[in-house]
């Protein structure tokens, strides 16, 4: 149980958000907001040493973080690594500013009675805008326009005479599209809401379809419905967490079910997609295009065939970056969760360590 606060022994919350990338670094106004939300009896300890915010968050804590967490009850940082947890015998709750938690579910984390919350949903609005931009890029043939522009070539044929084009389905609108979103959670819902508002028919896939159809979707299915939905999909967006159950959820067999007009988007994690099979399908013109933000190996190696494919739009794992608006959402969640924690109420975004997200 958390220790009763006294003037001599304040309850300690460690804030470890001084990210190496400035876009992900807690800004001064964020620090001020946290200080203003600190009740009597609590002490905030800000780590100034740098932390890594990429992917599931840091796996090598700074020496300063290791020293700061010794008597802490609460930790707020990017991820949580084995050495940090080991150095924190009194820790009761860790809030990660990353959404992915796969690398956080190491044996000691599973054994410890520690509340772990993540940033599920926080990146959703930003990522949905990236997804929308990437899909429109292919639906309206902007990939081909850009290639022609680079050659100073005025050529309407790919749009006006699609049968003479090497790219299928060059000029489409969203109302003629079926969008399949694998992972109808925080990100998937924001994707579904935007595409539905623009006239597309959106179907979501969630692990527990019995919980209902989230806003933004015409229908929802469980993992067993994926094959059927792929056959009719114009767009498939992968937005599920990386777990054992989602490993290569889009494998070679499933990619082959997609029609040639289909656009594949992966903003989740590289492990959810068979990258080699996708490259083969794109190289053979068996898909319209792919929007890829995440990869098996990051940074994507310079000799990866993906770089050279004209029907791929690569973003370097930046689909969720939004320096201006991220901290509003993230701190809303943390401050509200901190209040819940102090009142002994259930926390929002509590990670199910068995389900893996
Ligand atoms: N590229 C980036 O920069 C970036 C940024 C943030 C997040 N991400 C990745 O995106 C993932 C999702 O983030 P989020 O905020 O949307 O998380 P979330 O709110 O937890 O949503 C997860 C969704 O996936 C569904 N799901 C779980 N297991 C599934 C399975 N086996 N088959 C189909 N659907 C399954 C869940 O189903 P239920 O609704 O039934 O639980 C839920 O709808 C994160 O885990 C992270 O890896 C990437």
């Amino acid at each position: 149980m958390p220790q009763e606060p006294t003037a001599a022994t304040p309850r300690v919350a460690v804030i470890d958000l001084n990210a190496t990338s400035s876009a992900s670094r807690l800004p001064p106004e964020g620090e001020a907001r946290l200080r203003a939300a600190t009740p009597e009896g609590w002490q905030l300890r800000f780590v100034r040493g740098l932390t890594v915010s990429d992917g599931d968050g840091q796996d090598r804590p700074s020496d300063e973080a290791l020293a700061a967490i010794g008597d802490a009850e609460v930790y707020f940082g990017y991820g949580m690594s084995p050495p940090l947890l080991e150095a924190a015998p009194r820790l009761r709750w860790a809030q990660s500013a990353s959404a992915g938690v796969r690398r956080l579910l190491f044996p000691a984390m599973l054994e410890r009675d520690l509340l772990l919350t993540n940033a599920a949903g926080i990146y959703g609005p930003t990522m949905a805008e990236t997804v929308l931009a990437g899909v429109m890029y292919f639906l309206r043939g902007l990939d081909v326009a850009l290639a022609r522009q680079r050659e100073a070539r005025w050529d309407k044929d790919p749009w006006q005479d699609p049968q003479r084009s090497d790219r299928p389905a060059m000029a489409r609108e969203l109302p003629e599209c079926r969008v399949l979103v694998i992972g109808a959670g925080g990100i998937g819902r924001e994707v579904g809401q935007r595409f539905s508002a623009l006239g597309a028919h959106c179907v979501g896939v969630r692990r527990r379809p019995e919980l209902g159809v989230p806003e933004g979707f015409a229908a929802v299915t469980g993992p067993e419905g994926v094959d059927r939905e792929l056959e009719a999909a114009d767009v498939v967006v992968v937005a599920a967490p990386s777990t054992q159950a989602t490993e290569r959820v889009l494998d070679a067999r499933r990619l082959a079910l997609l029609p040639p007009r289909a656009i594949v988007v992966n903003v989740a994690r590289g492990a959810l997609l068979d990258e080699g099979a996708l490259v083969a399908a794109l190289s053979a013109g068996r898909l319209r295009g792919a929007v890829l933000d995440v990869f098996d190996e990051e940074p994507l190696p310079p000799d990866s065939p993906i770089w050279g494919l004209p029907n791929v739009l690569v973003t370097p794992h930046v689909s969720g970056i939004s320096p201006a608006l991220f901290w509003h959402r993230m701190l809303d969640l943390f401050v509200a969760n901190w209040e819940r924690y102090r009142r002994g109420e259930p926390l929002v975004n509590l990670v199910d360590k068995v389900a893996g997200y």
Side-chain angles (χ1 to χ4, degrees):
M1 284 302 290
Q3 204 173 3
E4 283 304 312
T6 68
T9 59
R11 297 165 78 177
V12 174
V14 168
I15 312 297
D16 187 13
L17 296 168
N18 196 22
T20 47
S21 115
S22 65
S24 304
R25 191 174 299 154
L26 180 70
E29 55 275 22
E31 181 167 331
R33 183 173 172 196
L34 289 175
R35 287 192 191 283
T38 306
E40 216 174 306
W42 280 83
Q43 182 200 344
L44 285 188
R45 202 173 280 158
F46 289 90
V47 175
R48 305 296 171 192
L50 295 178
T51 189
V52 172
S53 57
D54 293 346
D56 295 2
Q58 52 88 5
D59 54 14
R60 270 192 298 273
S62 64
D63 291 344
E64 196 188 333
L66 285 169
I69 207 165
D71 60 349
E73 182 179 333
V74 172
Y75 174 77
F76 181 16
Y78 284 102
M80 163 61 70
S81 54
L84 200 57
L85 188 60
E86 200 180 320
R90 290 157 76 173
L91 201 67
R92 295 279 300 121
W93 167 41
Q95 168 73 58
S96 177
S98 301
V101 293
R102 189 158 190 180
R103 282 194 298 125
L104 278 60
L105 300 178
F106 47 87
M109 176 66 81
L110 301 179
E111 284 156 20
R112 275 273 292 266
D113 180 21
L114 177 82
L115 299 167
L116 175 64
T117 52
N118 69 359
I122 299 297
Y123 296 87
T126 317
M127 294 177 64
E129 293 201 2
T130 307
V131 172
L132 186 58
V135 169
M136 294 312 299
Y137 173 79
F138 286 114
L139 276 187
R140 300 304 307 160
L142 302 186
D143 55 332
V144 177
L146 197 59
R148 299 290 190 274
Q149 183 181 338
R150 292 207 169 113
E151 296 167 7
R153 188 170 148 207
W154 184 269
D155 174 16
K156 294 186 180 188
D157 278 356
W159 291 265
Q160 286 187 333
D161 294 306
Q163 66 280 9
R164 288 165 57 189
S165 164
D166 57 348
R167 306 279 171 88
M170 277 286 301
R172 284 179 290 168
E173 293 186 23
L174 280 172
E176 57 187 298
C177 290
R178 260 180 101 88
V179 178
L180 179 66
V181 183
I182 301 178
I187 296 167
R189 281 166 212 206
E190 297 286 338
V191 169
Q193 283 169 20
R194 279 160 184 75
F195 280 93
S196 297
L198 294 170
H201 180 89
C202 294
V203 176
V205 184
R206 67 188 299 185
R207 185 173 65 95
R208 301 162 298 173
E210 66 279 8
L211 295 184
V213 182
E215 199 186 331
F217 294 100
V220 80
T221 176
E224 72 293 340
V226 171
D227 283 9
R228 183 188 66 238
E229 291 297 333
L230 285 173
E231 287 169 9
D234 296 275
V235 177
V236 52
V237 179
V238 182
S242 176
T243 66
Q244 275 184 4
T246 62
E247 194 93 34
R248 310 288 177 223
V249 68
L250 275 193
D251 59 8
R253 183 189 65 78
R254 281 189 160 160
L255 286 168
L257 296 175
L258 285 163
R261 64 178 188 279
I263 297 161
V264 173
V265 181
N266 188 8
V267 287
R269 288 287 183 267
L272 278 80
L273 185 76
D274 183 334
E275 215 170 85
L278 182 70
V279 167
L282 288 162
S283 306
R286 280 189 275 112
L287 292 169
R288 171 66 183 88
V291 180
L292 302 176
D293 187 53
V294 287
F295 303 88
D296 271 337
E297 190 181 342
E298 295 183 14
L300 184 63
D303 61 351
S304 167
I306 290 176
W307 289 114
L309 289 172
N311 44 2
V312 177
L313 182 61
V314 171
T315 51
H317 205 145
V318 291
S319 61
I321 293 185
S322 176
L325 295 181
F326 168 74
W327 286 109
H328 292 286
R329 298 185 196 109
M330 191 65 241
L331 294 181
D332 281 353
L333 172 68
F334 177 76
V335 169
N337 254 351
W338 196 15
E339 283 171 18
R340 287 192 189 91
Y341 174 80
R342 296 195 305 264
R343 291 198 295 258
E345 294 172 2
L347 301 183
V348 173
N349 277 5
L350 191 65
V351 172
D352 176 339
K353 294 178 187 173
V354 177
Y357 70 100

